[in-house]
Amino acid sequence: MADDIVDVLIVGAGASGAAVAWSLAETRMRIVCLEQGGWMNPAEYPSNGRDWEMRQYSEYQLSPNLRKRAADYPINDDDSPIAILNFNAVGGSTILYSAHFPRFHPSDFRVASLDGVADDWPIDYWMLEPFFAENDRNIGVSGLAGDPAIPFHEPPLPPVPMGRMGEAMGRGFNKLGWHWWPSDTAIVTRDYNGRGRCLNLGPCNAGCAQGAKSSADVTYWPMAERAGVELRTNCRVREVTVDGRDMATGVTYFDADGVERHQRAEVVIVACNGVGTPRLLLNSTSARFPDGLANRSGLVGKNLMLHPFGHVRGIFPEPLASHFGPQGSCILSQEFYETDSSRGFVRGYDLQVTRGAPPVAAARAGIASGTIPWGEDHHAAFERTYDRDINIGVLCEDLPEEHNRVTLDPELADSHGIPAPKVSYKLSENSRRMLEHGVARASEAMIAAGATTVHPSPSPIRYCGWHLLGTARMGDDPGRSVVNSWGRSHDVRNLFIVDGSVFVTSGGVNPTTTIQAVALYIADAMKKNLANLFD
Amino acid sequence: MSADVIGSDRPLTATQRALFEVVVDMIVPASADGTKPSAAEVGVLDFIAERQPGDLPAIVRDIDRLDAAARERHGAGFAGIDAASRRALVEDMRADDAAFLRNLAMHTVTCYYQDDRVLTAIGLEARPPFPKGYEVVAGDTGLLEPVRRRGSIVRDA
C-alpha cells in the first residue's frame, strides 16, 4: 500500500501537523502523516519515578545534540549564541513544552505599518481569532477571561493555580502599576474530553505523566486517527519529490526498518518546524529546483527568529511553596509588550513568571553560582533559597534578518545519512537592548514583590531556542516570501507549509497557540478551495 | 561487578574510595542538628557509578591530584591532614582551576537531594510526583482589581 497515491501527505506529527491532520480529516480524503519519532509512553516520563529531577538532565535534555535519542537529528548550532531545542516524537516539541499559551496580539501582524520594521503579515489577528478559539476548545486551554492586554476571549477551563508565589509577584506588579494576569495555559485544570485534570506534578517540560498537558499526542492525534488519518511512526523523510510541471509527487523516506520508500501524494504538507522544514526543502533539490524546493525567492531558511530569552531569579524571605505547580506557567506581565521608542528599541517582550526550583535544581543552581557553598554552611544556604525562589523569563520579540538562517551542514548528517541543518544566528542590537531592559524590569519587579536578593543570568540564555520561526515566510509577493497567505508554496502549487516557518514576525510570546491557529486557518482555506486548490 | 571496581572498567582503590568519601563530605557534611545525613552516607559513589559512569575517571583523576597536592604541601595524604588544611588546599586548587571537582559537586547534590532522608528533612514526602501530585492554592484573583480598573491596553492595529 505504501506505493499507492494518497490524497494528502503530512510530514511531521507535532503541533501544526496534528492540527492540520485533524482539520482535514472531515474531508474524507486519504491522509497519511509520516513522523520520524515514535509514540511516547507517559508511564515512562520522569515524574513517575523518584529520580525525576535527575532524568531531566539526561534522557529528557532539551537539546537534541545532548539528548541523542534515536529519533533525533543533529543540529550544528555552533554559530549561534542560542542553542536549538526540539523534540522528535508523535506530538513533536509539545511533548516537552511548558504549555505557556499566550496569543499573539493584533499589533504583531502589522509591525511594518505600526513601527516601520520588518513586514506586515498578509493575515491578521481577526482572521485567526476563530481558529484560536477552536484550538482552545480542541486541546483544552485554561485561563482567566478579561485580560486587558489582548482582545477578549474566554478560555474553556479555569486558570492554573497562581499559588503564594503568584500572589507575591502580583502584589509586586501592582506596586509598580504594571499589567499582569494569570497565564493562558495548554493544561486541563478540570477533567476534559477523557483526560484527567492537572495534578501539579511540576516538571511539564519533561513530559506529563497525567496527560493533563495538552501535547498533540493526547489531543489532536487520537481525534485524527479516529477520523481515519493514518500515522506512520519512525519514518524519516529525506526529500519531497517533484515532476516536470513543478508539482510535488510525494516524498522519499526511510521506514521504521530503515528501508527507503517513496510515497506518492496529490498534496504534500510540511510541518517540521522552523529548522526541520527548511532542512527538508533545502535537501529536496532537482533540476528545476537546484537551490532547494520552493526556494525561487531564495528565502527558504532565511529570517530565522528565536526569541532571545533573559532570566532573573529572586529569593524571598518567606517560604512560598514555589516549586509546586506547572513549572512554566503561572502569571505574566505584558506591560512592555508594545513599542515605546523612549526605551531605545522597537517592539517588546513578555515577562513570564515561572515556578521555583525543586530540590536538586535549587542545589545545583546554588553550587554553580556559588550562592550555596561547600561545607558547614551548605544546609543554611540551601534553606535560605529552596522553596523561596521565583523565576521570571524575559521573552523578547526577535525581528527577521536574512543573515540569521538555516542552511545544510556540509559534513554533519543524521543516522540515515541525510545532511543536517546548520544554524547561523547573531543577536541584533535591538534584541540586546530589549534583553537588557527586560532583565532590569524583571529585577525591579522582584524587588517590588519583596525579594531580598535578585540574580540575573547572563543574556541571552543559551539553552532557550525553543521557538523556531520565519524560515519559509508567508506573503503575497513571490519574490519576498515562500508561501502565500494560506500556506501554499508560490513555486509548487500542491505544496503547503503549516508550521512556525511561515511566520512573518515572531511576536513576543510563546508561539504554539498561534502556530496551531495558523495551521487550522490554512487547513480551513484548503477545504474552502478544494475544487481549485492548485489554480 | 566486583566490589573493588566501579564505573565502566576503572578500579577504585580503598584509598581512593576513602578519599572520595572525605571529599563529598566536605561538599555536603551532615547537618549540625543531625537531621540530614552527609553526602557519603547517601551513596554518592554508587550513584555516579550507576548513573554517570563515564564521568568517574575524570573525578578520580581530580581526587588523585588532590592527594598528590596534599603530600607535596603537607607530607601526608589528603585524608591524613586536618580539616582546616583540607579546606585551604581545596580552595586553592579550585581557585587555580574552576573546573576542579565541579562535576563531582554537581553529582553530589543531585544524588543528595533525591535521598529519602534528605527529602523528609526538608519537609517533602519521599515519593515521585505522580500519581498523587500536589495541592497548590489557587491564589487571590482579587489582586487583579487594579489591572482591571486600568482598562484595556490593547494597541490599535
Side-chain angles (χ1 to χ4, degrees):
Chain A
M1 293 294 288
D3 291 324
D4 284 352
I5 191 161
V6 300
D7 297 311
V8 178
L9 189 140
I10 302 169
V11 186
S16 62
V20 164
W22 169 81
S23 179
L24 292 180
E26 70 170 337
T27 63
R28 297 296 178 196
M29 292 189 290
R30 186 176 171 206
I31 303 169
V32 168
C33 177
L34 301 178
E35 164 56 48
Q36 65 191 319
W39 284 94
M40 298 302 291
N41 179 359
E44 294 174 356
Y45 287 146
S47 58
N48 290 281
R50 289 294 317 284
D51 56 353
W52 64 276
E53 280 206 79
M54 162 84 187
R55 290 180 67 203
Q56 284 187 285
Y57 301 115
S58 51
E59 65 222 82
Y60 287 85
Q61 282 272 6
L62 307 178
S63 162
N65 295 339
L66 302 174
R67 191 175 56 230
K68 296 180 177 172
R69 294 175 81 240
D72 291 323
Y73 57 89
I75 299 172
N76 180 350
D77 54 15
D78 294 345
D79 190 25
S80 169
I82 299 172
I84 304 302
L85 313 180
N86 68 14
F87 198 74
N88 298 294
V90 176
S93 297
T94 66
I95 297 295
L96 296 193
Y97 79 156
S98 290
H100 196 242
F101 228 55
R103 296 179 178 186
F104 269 34
H105 291 207
S107 64
D108 288 323
F109 300 89
R110 294 181 38 79
V111 299
S113 298
L114 293 172
D115 296 322
V117 292
D119 289 297
D120 289 347
W121 291 51
I123 57 175
D124 63 29
Y125 179 90
W126 298 107
M127 293 167 76
L128 291 181
E129 205 284 334
F131 303 101
F132 277 121
E134 180 177 52
N135 192 55
D136 286 357
R137 288 190 303 273
N138 283 345
I139 71 172
V141 171
S142 66
L144 182 67
D147 183 348
I150 54 171
F152 184 84
H153 69 286
E154 202 155 15
L157 293 157
V160 296
M162 289 193 283
R164 297 288 172 237
M165 58 160 285
E167 290 180 334
M169 283 310 307
R171 288 192 189 95
F173 288 131
N174 283 348
K175 244 186 230 180
L176 296 166
W178 293 357
H179 167 270
W180 68 281
W181 203 260
S183 296
D184 281 7
T185 306
I187 290 174
V188 298
T189 49
R190 299 281 184 273
D191 292 353
Y192 192 79
N193 288 350
R195 293 158 53 209
R197 68 173 178 87
C198 175
L199 302 173
N200 299 309
L201 301 179
C204 310
N205 56 350
C208 179
Q210 166 74 346
K213 186 176 77 169
S214 303
S215 49
D217 59 328
V218 299
T219 55
Y220 277 115
W221 275 114
M223 295 195 294
E225 287 198 306
R226 276 199 300 274
V229 176
E230 180 190 350
L231 174 56
R232 294 182 200 156
T233 58
N234 302 304
C235 292
R236 177 173 277 152
V237 176
R238 189 185 71 201
E239 66 176 301
V240 180
T241 52
V242 287
D243 63 17
R245 299 174 300 124
D246 291 353
M247 295 290 278
T249 55
V251 303
T252 301
Y253 71 101
F254 295 96
D255 70 13
D257 298 319
V259 177
E260 184 177 316
R261 297 188 180 281
H262 186 259
Q263 175 61 60
R264 294 192 297 147
E266 300 285 0
V267 173
V268 174
I269 298 176
V270 181
C272 305
N273 79 42
V275 169
T277 287
R279 177 202 185 197
L280 175 58
L281 296 177
L282 294 172
N283 271 316
S284 302
T285 54
S286 60
R288 297 190 62 79
F289 294 97
D291 299 320
L293 191 60
N295 193 24
R296 288 186 179 139
S297 65
L299 291 173
V300 169
K302 293 182 178 172
N303 296 303
L304 174 67
M305 297 174 281
L306 292 175
H307 283 154
F309 201 74
H311 170 253
V312 174
R313 183 178 185 221
I315 307 298
F316 289 73
E318 72 281 3
L320 294 165
S322 62
H323 71 84
F324 298 115
Q327 166 268 336
S329 199
C330 180
I331 65 174
L332 83 171
S333 171
Q334 300 197 319
E335 184 65 26
F336 304 99
Y337 195 85
E338 302 292 353
T339 295
D340 177 342
S341 55
S342 71
R343 297 179 192 142
F345 56 86
V346 289
R347 306 301 299 156
Y349 58 86
D350 194 60
L351 296 176
Q352 179 180 350
V353 177
T354 62
R355 311 282 167 174
V360 170
R364 288 173 65 108
I367 289 286
S369 65
T371 54
I372 298 180
W374 290 26
E376 291 163 6
D377 295 335
H378 175 93
H379 297 292
F382 179 82
E383 285 164 15
R384 281 195 299 272
T385 59
Y386 166 67
D387 219 23
R388 297 162 188 246
D389 63 330
I390 298 176
N391 295 288
I392 297 182
V394 181
L395 191 154
C396 295
E397 173 160 356
D398 200 8
L399 290 168
E401 298 175 283
E402 289 194 15
H403 60 259
N404 290 333
R405 65 192 187 279
V406 178
T407 54
L408 297 178
D409 192 281
E411 295 169 6
L412 195 63
D414 65 23
S415 56
H416 291 95
I418 305 170
K422 178 178 192 297
V423 170
S424 305
Y425 179 92
K426 286 186 170 47
L427 192 71
S428 72
E429 180 62 16
N430 194 66
S431 292
R432 192 191 62 72
R433 290 182 187 181
M434 198 185 304
L435 275 169
E436 189 178 339
H437 188 274
V439 168
R441 297 292 78 72
S443 300
E444 191 180 349
M446 288 287 193
I447 298 295
T452 49
T453 53
V454 174
H455 303 281
S457 302
S459 296
I461 304 295
R462 176 153 179 81
Y463 287 96
C464 73
W466 274 118
H467 306 155
L468 313 174
L469 307 168
T471 49
R473 65 202 325 236
M474 62 163 53
D476 295 325
D477 178 357
R480 294 285 308 140
S481 56
V482 177
V483 298
N484 69 10
S485 62
W486 46 291
R488 194 181 77 177
S489 160
H490 291 301
D491 301 340
V492 182
R493 287 167 295 146
N494 63 342
L495 176 72
F496 291 78
I497 301 173
V498 297
D499 58 60
S501 306
V502 304
F503 279 33
V504 179
T505 55
S506 70
V509 289
N510 316 59
T512 306
T513 179
T514 307
I515 288 172
Q516 291 189 308
V518 168
L520 292 174
Y521 158 80
I522 292 172
D524 186 69
M526 291 175 73
K527 288 185 284 190
K528 285 175 176 162
N529 290 286
L530 269 185
N532 51 358
L533 197 57
F534 310 139
D535 287 352
Chain B
M1 185 180 291
S2 154
D4 290 333
V5 178
I6 60 171
S8 49
D9 57 357
R10 184 180 173 87
L12 211 70
T13 65
T15 303
Q16 287 171 326
R17 187 183 294 265
L19 193 49
F20 182 97
E21 297 197 341
V22 168
V23 172
V24 296
D25 276 356
M26 287 180 70
I27 298 169
V28 187
S31 63
D33 63 5
T35 59
K36 296 175 191 165
S38 76
E41 289 176 77
V42 305
V44 174
L45 183 54
D46 291 343
F47 171 82
I48 299 172
E50 181 184 339
R51 305 300 292 264
Q52 299 287 334
D55 288 358
L56 203 50
I59 290 170
V60 171
R61 276 197 298 277
D62 276 358
I63 285 180
D64 287 344
R65 276 176 60 198
L66 190 61
D67 205 36
R71 290 181 196 286
E72 188 177 323
R73 186 182 290 190
H74 299 288
F78 189 77
I81 61 178
D82 61 61
S85 300
R86 287 177 187 166
R87 275 198 302 274
L89 183 57
V90 168
E91 282 170 16
D92 288 349
M93 294 182 75
R94 290 177 71 200
D96 286 346
D97 175 6
F100 181 66
L101 293 175
R102 185 170 57 194
N103 203 22
L104 174 60
M106 297 303 268
H107 285 315
T108 298
V109 295
T110 302
C111 171
Y112 188 79
Y113 285 100
Q114 294 183 89
D115 181 82
D116 287 5
R117 288 163 290 178
V118 177
L119 294 182
T120 303
I122 63 173
L124 291 173
E125 294 177 65
R127 64 171 174 83
F130 186 80
K132 189 175 174 185
Y134 303 96
E135 289 300 321
V136 179
V137 296
D140 179 9
T141 52
L143 291 168
L144 288 163
E145 195 47 39
V147 185
R148 293 183 196 274
R149 271 202 311 273
R150 183 179 170 192
S152 172
I153 58 170
V154 178
R155 187 180 184 187
D156 289 337

